[in-house]
Amino acid sequence: MSFDSVAIEVSAVSKRFELFERPSDQLKQFIVPRLGRMLGKPARQYFREFWALSEVSLTVRRGESCAIVGLNGSGKSTLLQIIAGTLTPTSGTVRTEGRVTALLELGSGFNPEFTGRENVRLNGALLGLTPTQISERMRRIEEFADIGEHFDRPLGTYSSGMQMRVAFAVATAFDPDILIVDEALAVGDAYFQRKCFHRLAEFKATGGTLLFVSHDAEVIKQLCDSAVLLNAGKLVGVGTSREIIDLYQGLITQKGDMGTKPLAVTQDGDGVWPKATTVTTNGDVRLLDVRLLDARGDRVTEVESESLLTVEYEALICRALDQPAFGLIVRDRFGKSIYEVSTFAMGKSLASMGSGERVVARFTFDFNLRAGNYFFSIGIANRGYARTEFEETCLLMHDVEHIKVTEAAAAPAYGGIFNMRPIVSVEPTGHALVDTAASSAV
Ligand SMILES: Nc1ncnc2c1ncn2[C@@H]1O[C@H](COP(=O)(O)OP(=O)(O)OP(=O)(O)O)[C@@H](O)[C@H]1O
């Protein structure tokens, strides 16, 4: 790949932190090895090594939006800081092409004693912009931040939401080629989050390269083309944002699962169910078949909107389940969940199932979704305790099957995702609107 098309190239980056039990150990580490070397004695180490990143390699092409996902402490922020140049790697290299701006820790790159406006000037100057260029962008930044008179008060007096507003406005206003954003959307109210989301989408649409850390699966799926998954400092998955979110959710299930059998999470269902994008399983059940049936019970790959569809899947119980539950997720082509349900969530308690039993779970719907392609994920679990939480996850498989919905000739016209079938009425209230201007002119 030529570097022309590459915006960020991370090659075998590792980062080691030195963890000291006591502050005095840091001082000892500074002095004792030096003394030892002078006296020809072997060096003693006063810290514990911690590898936050191990041999991470990653390529982001120009114009691509890439998300970094992973559990807390997996190394996402460390990687972003190394790419942004605010932290040096222990080994490995990073190359970036073009102007990079980063929204990392709140307050970084800002002086708390300066006002918002002064900080904007300072940041612009650091990025090499002329005073005229900075002034040209000042109004846009002030408008986007929308913090009123606080803009001319010292940053130290701002709430964290206000600081983020200014930081976000600044980071996106100075025409970066690469924008690095760490969880910025998590700060601020819902209205500002939407504004930030639109600004990032705009940045992406105009060809900017985005590297993004977030725990919000839907935002990632909408904003990012690709994603990588970090686990304990290692890169364990690379793929489309949708594939990686599925893999990540498998990891979350694995972590939250209270069962005694370990869960295996794999990307793409090779060997288990080839169509599936991810498979999370503890081996207690096996999927045997998935069937999509129309109202007559015939197998289909296509269905007309507003008609009956049955999704049924057959599974083999490999270990007795005392409180089994069967679930289904319907997702759109972007992987966004449209509907999720399980026998447990519906309040259906099923009889226990013994090892070797074969069962068929059947979900019949009026499939009133708009024309398009929809994907099905299935879940089998044991011992539910909250709407979507179980003590044991036996099987969670994304994209086991999909259906094409076509629009029926007589289908009602509406926008959005599905037909909510409202009861609508429009009636006169009996009160006429009086045009006061017209009546006073008479
Ligand atoms: N300066 C430091 N000294 C020692 N350990 C550190 C330092 N910075 C980070 N770490 C450790 O490195 C690991 C990775 O941290 P990092 O902040 O990169 O994770 P993260 O994936 O961004 O987590 P989160 O989702 O919670 O923000 C963590 O275990 C953290 O405690």
Side-chain angles (χ1 to χ4, degrees), residues 43-58:
R44 198 190 134 187
Q45 206 167 284
Y46 291 90
F47 59 82
R48 200 161 45 83
E49 283 189 349
F50 175 74
W51 290 91
L53 292 175
S54 310
E55 297 276 316
V56 172
S57 296
L58 163 72

Side-chain angles (χ1 to χ4, degrees), residues 143-182:
E143 265 173 28
F144 188 87
D146 193 20
I147 55 167
E149 58 200 28
H150 289 280
F151 198 59
D152 288 304
R153 292 190 184 150
L155 211 88
T157 64
Y158 288 16
S159 68
S160 55
M162 285 179 196
Q163 280 187 48
M164 183 44 79
R165 281 167 174 258
V166 175
F168 199 93
V170 170
T172 51
F174 290 137
D175 311 320
D177 298 300
I178 300 172
L179 181 60
I180 298 177
V181 183
D182 194 352

Side-chain angles (χ1 to χ4, degrees), residues 273 275-277 287 290 313 328 375-378 397-402:
W273 194 261
K275 280 188 181 177
T277 47
L287 184 68
V290 181
Y313 58 87
L328 187 75
F375 295 77
F376 300 104
S377 304
I378 58 149
M397 287 170 64
H398 289 299
D399 307 325
V400 290
E401 202 33 282
H402 86 280

Side-chain angles (χ1 to χ4, degrees), residues 17-19 50-53 70-79 81 87 182-183 213 215 230:
F17 287 115
E18 297 171 356
L19 305 178
F50 175 74
W51 290 91
L53 292 175
L71 300 168
N72 291 128
S74 55
K76 304 180 297 292
S77 303
T78 305
L79 182 58
Q81 286 175 60
L87 194 67
D182 194 352
E183 285 284 26
V213 163
H215 288 280
L230 280 179

Side-chain angles (χ1 to χ4, degrees), residues 10-11 21 35 45 71 73 83 121 159 166 191 235 240 247 306 310 312 324 336 345 381 387 392 399 410 424-425:
V10 177
S11 310
E21 296 262 303
L35 279 176
Q45 206 167 284
L71 300 168
I83 295 172
R121 290 210 183 92
S159 68
V166 175
Y191 170 71
L235 201 77
T240 64
L247 198 61
E306 319 273 331
T310 297
E312 63 176 33
K336 189 174 163 53
R387 190 187 298 216
E392 293 164 13
D399 307 325
V424 183
S425 70

